[in-house]
Amino acid sequence: MKADLHCHSHFSDGSLSPTELLALAHKAGITDLALTDHDTLDGLPEARLAANQMGINLINGIELSCTWDKQLIHVVGLNVDTNNRVLKAGVVQNKQRRVDRAEAMFEDFEQHDISLRESVTDLIGGRGVPTRPHFAQALVDQGYAKDKKQAFKRYLVRGKPGYIPMLWPDVEQIGSWITSAGGIGVLAHPNRYKFTRTKLSRLLNDMLKAGIQGIEVSTSTTDKQQSAMLADLATQFGLYSSIGSDFHSTDQPWARLGGAADLSKELNPVWSGFG
Ligand code: AMP
Ligand code: MN
Ligand code: MN
Ligand code: MN
């Protein structure tokens, strides 16, 4: 078994269609894949068709934006029932927040004499949800930055043009959406928040109270030492452990599909909780 339970398609900020993604997963020898687009389930039907053709076990997933202690965190919902009403209503809410934020971002950029409306709309192509990477790409395409990384340095972040502060649903709400849909919630890329262990523990406590029972222990950007620390926390809190590359596109070699290291054997893998 080779699992990758965190990746994106062009229904959010990934570059591949679900069909192309599943073909790449097949090439990478992945047996179990969760598509986890930001705040949308819309890529899953196409992904399921492709997964059936490739003989890959597709897990219904989503990456939900959440505010905790005034900060943005990401929670991946795995093995969710995509027909569940509570989850569907929650997803509608988060999508609407994205659409409203995009409008505010367009207006903020226009105040700086930068017009991104057309490029961003073209990039989304009527499919997915608007994300900051769409804006970053549009900034690159129009010559405001040499690459997306630079776009995220000069724009889109706190204190820079195009930054719109967001209040996403709290951990309790996100937890209820995922558990209502029979899924398992997993804290995404815990190393990326740069929290101390104490703060991370506080977050995990709050997550557990909200029914979010998992943590990504192995990601593309966790080194051995970080994974060991996260494994330690998983054990201490009795959490399910997950593995996810956070793949977005083939031009990001630091996050290859299937590129996260295997989970160590003593951990309780999240798929053991899939009913
Ligand atoms: P959003 O959810 O629309 O606010 O966009 C967040 C996404 O932007 C993340 O999931 C990453 O894929 C991407 N992202 C965030 N920061 C950066 C960065 N510094 N460089 C490139 N991509 C980034
Ligand atoms: Mn992303
Ligand atoms: Mn994320
Ligand atoms: Mn992600």
Side-chain angles (χ1 to χ4, degrees):
M1 166 172 190
K2 183 176 164 74
D4 191 337
L5 304 182
H6 184 161
C7 64
H8 298 272
S9 78
H10 69 184
F11 281 86
S12 65
D13 57 353
S15 66
L16 303 182
S17 70
T19 306
E20 292 165 334
L21 181 74
L22 267 293
L24 184 62
H26 184 70
K27 232 175 74 184
I30 291 167
T31 58
D32 297 73
L33 186 86
L35 173 60
T36 56
D37 274 315
H38 294 284
D39 301 307
T40 181
L41 298 160
D42 291 347
L44 290 169
E46 182 187 329
R48 180 144 317 273
L49 285 176
N52 289 344
Q53 281 181 350
M54 304 279 167
I56 289 175
N57 178 35
L58 180 79
I59 292 119
N60 288 334
I62 187 166
E63 181 170 17
L64 292 162
S65 310
C66 175
T67 297
W68 178 78
D69 199 13
K70 297 183 191 139
Q71 287 165 88
L72 170 69
I73 64 156
H74 283 167
V75 176
V76 165
L78 294 175
N79 200 39
V80 291
D81 171 8
T82 55
N83 290 316
N84 178 266
R85 284 187 188 194
V86 176
L87 176 63
K88 284 209 291 195
V91 172
V92 167
Q93 266 188 46
N94 265 21
K95 269 191 189 172
Q96 191 57 46
R97 284 186 175 87
R98 283 188 173 276
V99 170
D100 295 344
R101 179 186 66 167
E103 183 54 38
M105 289 167 77
F106 289 137
E107 286 168 14
D108 194 55
F109 275 115
E110 276 152 18
Q111 301 264 311
H112 293 85
D113 287 319
I114 299 176
S115 173
L116 299 178
R117 211 174 273 275
E118 250 180 84
S119 322
V120 168
T121 307
D122 280 356
L123 286 168
I124 298 167
R127 263 183 324 264
V129 294
T131 69
R132 281 185 293 163
H134 289 114
F135 282 79
Q137 187 60 54
L139 286 162
V140 173
D141 294 346
Q142 294 191 30
Y144 292 105
K146 69 172 191 310
D147 53 27
K148 284 208 231 178
K149 194 170 174 228
Q150 194 180 59
F152 268 98
K153 270 219 159 90
R154 296 183 174 173
Y155 307 94
L156 304 168
V157 291
R158 195 175 307 217
K160 301 291 162 73
Y163 177 72
I164 304 296
M166 288 295 288
L167 191 60
W168 296 98
D170 60 22
V171 178
E172 218 173 304
Q173 285 173 284
I174 299 288
S176 78
W177 302 350
I178 296 170
T179 54
S180 297
I184 297 182
V186 167
L187 177 64
H189 40 65
N191 54 314
R192 251 201 263 155
Y193 311 115
K194 308 220 157 49
F195 292 168
T196 60
R197 185 172 170 140
T198 310
K199 188 162 183 183
L200 203 47
S201 299
R202 194 155 61 77
L203 169 58
L204 293 175
N205 251 319
D206 288 352
M207 283 183 16
L208 270 175
K209 278 189 235 155
I212 299 168
Q213 302 181 63
I215 184 170
E216 283 181 356
V217 167
S218 175
T219 79
S220 295
T221 57
T222 36
D223 59 28
K224 273 210 173 113
Q225 201 185 339
Q226 284 170 326
S227 274
M229 192 274 278
L230 294 169
D232 209 43
L233 281 171
T235 308
Q236 183 194 331
F237 284 87
L239 298 167
Y240 290 116
S241 296
S242 191
I243 173 170
S245 66
D246 202 7
F247 170 84
H248 284 76
S249 89
T250 48
D251 63 13
Q252 298 184 339
W254 59 90
R256 283 181 305 106
L257 194 64
D262 288 341
L263 290 177
S264 63
K265 297 280 176 282
E266 67 273 14
L267 293 169
N268 188 13
V270 66
W271 50 84
S272 75
F274 297 162

